[in-house]
Amino acid sequence: MKNNILLNIIIIVLLASCNNMNDNETIIHRPTKTYLEESHSYAQPNDAVTTHLDLDINVDFETQVISGTATYNIVNNGSEQIILDSKFLEIESVTANGVATTFKLGEMDATLGQPLTIAIKKDTKQIAITYSTTAKTEALQWLTAQQTADKTNPFLFTQGQAILTRTWIPIQDSPQIRITYDATVKVPEQLMAVMSAENPKAKNENGIYNFKMEQPIPAYLIALAVGDIKYKSISDRTGVYAEKSMLDKVHEEFSDMEKMVVAAENLYGAYDWDQFDVIVLPPSFPFGGMENPRLTFATPTVIAGDKSLTSLVAHELAHSWSGNLVTNATWNDFWLNEGFTVYFEIRIMEALYGKDRANMLALIGRQDLEDELEALSDLPNDTKLKLDLKGRNPDDGMNSIAYDKGYLFLRTLEEKVGRDHIDAFLKSYFKKNAFSTTNTEDFIVYLNENLLDKNNITFNTEEWIYQPGIPDNAAVIESDAFSNAENTLELFLKTNKIDTAVTQNWTPQEWVHFVRNFPPGITLEQMKQLDDTFDFTNSSNSYISMVWFEQSILNGYDGNNVDSKISEFLNTVGRRWYVTTLFNAFAKADRIDEALEIYKTARGNYHSVTANTVDGILGL
Ligand code: BES
Ligand code: ZN
């Protein structure tokens, strides 16, 4: 695989030097690959494409501005311009081969931002853009000391996926375009910077950090975090970053990380990114996790104290293959990233902790999928795996369909062809497309050639991918533990008695399943009885808290001060999935006024992706 990169680099260098030698000749240099039409980037990579970024920036917490220069190596296929994506950036000046050149920021689109068109010549090999971010940047969240765990220093993190990197770096922001990068980042001396790259393991004295990412990655995977953080290793290639007060807890929680990497490698081939670290961010981080290469970003809400929520690490690790190594060509193919990742995540969890745990995870996803299908009942097109997000925000495709319908497709396929076959197929798929992109259509061709036709198997692939809803042949997922939780709930609802000997050894997943399946008719007395027995309102597991709070909101339960707990939760946690579940519950229960009251103070804590989604739910 490394050889492939090397070969690409050699070809690019050769092409670039050919350009140089043949300045006045009419040889047309084709780019090394043909890029598909893509509706979420202004870049025209078939004309001129960036191949390497050298980023030199200063991170100023006082003004909350990142400023500096992004220098790119480019391959010009004979074009007089190169187009980058830019949103809410101030562009100060641009050079081409070191000489000032003209540039133009085009019309602003609310989702896509602006095309940044730069004049270049046939022999232009390098462009440099001097710029700064503005208060409107969507990728960055600047946190005060109060919003961190240690409460002594400010913090900054970026979130690039899907199309937010263009709000902190002017860049060709398409998943099809891969670049390597170097960066020099200057931060306040008491803080440390880390990126999706080769990282420092300790703070230095001058606050200047140098980074290198030698494997080519798409723009959405460029990431930066700056804070008062420390590193603790787990193995020679895995470890954790966190604020001081969290470091030991995080280290303990994720102590199986090396085992996860080994399990993943045993399934689908060598880990190609050398290092796998996780940084636990302050609670406003909008996602559970983000698979930034070499350094996954994670929410502190998974630090439950009992490793019960670490499938998140398996998930982000799995993206090192599905997503980071083999990338969805466009956001319409997002299911290729997430569906494959959920499948891989559950296989890793099975390898480490057994089939019961894996099936519980699969079944939670199955229920999420049913809920999503119901929520999208008026939008059947959005329940297809292959989406058409042209003219929409790619964020619209980030729902349970890509994840859980994608998973169910692969699980059903696995049951049809057998594990040996699907594993060999996936391994070869990752190998063939490593450090490249693929789209749904190419996947189908590859699937037919290498798995189905080869083994004389017929499968309704097209129905799964291009039709709404769930095909009839979907695998049936079962879990004895969950059936038991359902029976226990049913018995309680009938008798108002619950045998704590039965629930004694339940995992958080069983509790989640139990709570989220309360029927609409559950009484407030029953909720109070359960709360008094199991203390759900004060659960230390964020997932149980979330589903319990959802039920409390939906059913109007206000015992044991749960309302103030909900308000506190929404004022600290910014994980979009949790937050939107609770605000949706307020909306469903016709309690918008209470939600607005909480949101008044909570919104300021949220990253833009969470705030934008909640604005939508509350009709703001
Ligand atoms: N890559 C996603 C997060 C993402 C998707 C960010 C689309 C922006 C746009 C990440 O891998 C993910 O799926 N996170 C999940 C974790 C989970 C399914 C275990 C999350 O944040 O909840
Ligand atoms: Zn994911």
Side-chain angles (χ1 to χ4, degrees), residues 527-584:
M527 286 197 59
K528 178 85 165 73
Q529 188 187 341
L530 290 172
D531 201 8
D532 288 342
T533 314
F534 301 113
D535 202 14
F536 291 131
T537 292
N538 299 302
S539 171
S540 57
N541 185 293
S542 67
Y543 198 1
I544 297 175
S545 303
M546 194 269 282
V547 292
W548 173 252
F549 292 161
E550 182 187 23
Q551 292 291 0
S552 300
I553 297 166
L554 289 173
N555 294 296
Y557 172 70
D558 64 356
N560 299 348
N561 252 327
V562 70
D563 284 347
S564 69
K565 289 280 173 186
I566 292 170
S567 170
E568 190 188 317
F569 187 88
L570 287 170
N571 272 290
T572 27
V573 174
R575 184 175 180 183
R576 180 164 73 173
W577 169 40
Y578 283 5
V579 168
T580 56
T581 303
L582 299 186
F583 280 110
N584 271 320

Side-chain angles (χ1 to χ4, degrees), residues 312-377:
L312 179 112
V313 175
H315 179 97
E316 305 313 334
L317 168 65
H319 273 305
S320 304
W321 287 259
S322 41
N324 298 2
L325 196 60
V326 180
T327 307
N328 52 206
T330 76
W331 297 115
N332 294 332
D333 306 297
F334 182 55
W335 77 278
L336 292 177
N337 271 21
E338 296 300 342
F340 280 58
T341 296
V342 173
Y343 178 79
F344 197 171
E345 163 202 337
I346 292 178
R347 292 293 303 275
I348 295 170
M349 293 303 282
E350 182 186 322
L352 258 74
Y353 309 110
K355 270 208 162 54
D356 287 348
R357 178 131 180 216
N359 275 332
M360 283 195 252
L361 284 171
L363 214 45
I364 286 181
R366 188 70 183 85
Q367 192 171 346
D368 290 341
L369 179 56
E370 280 315 313
D371 293 351
E372 194 72 72
L373 288 168
E374 202 188 303
L376 293 173
S377 57

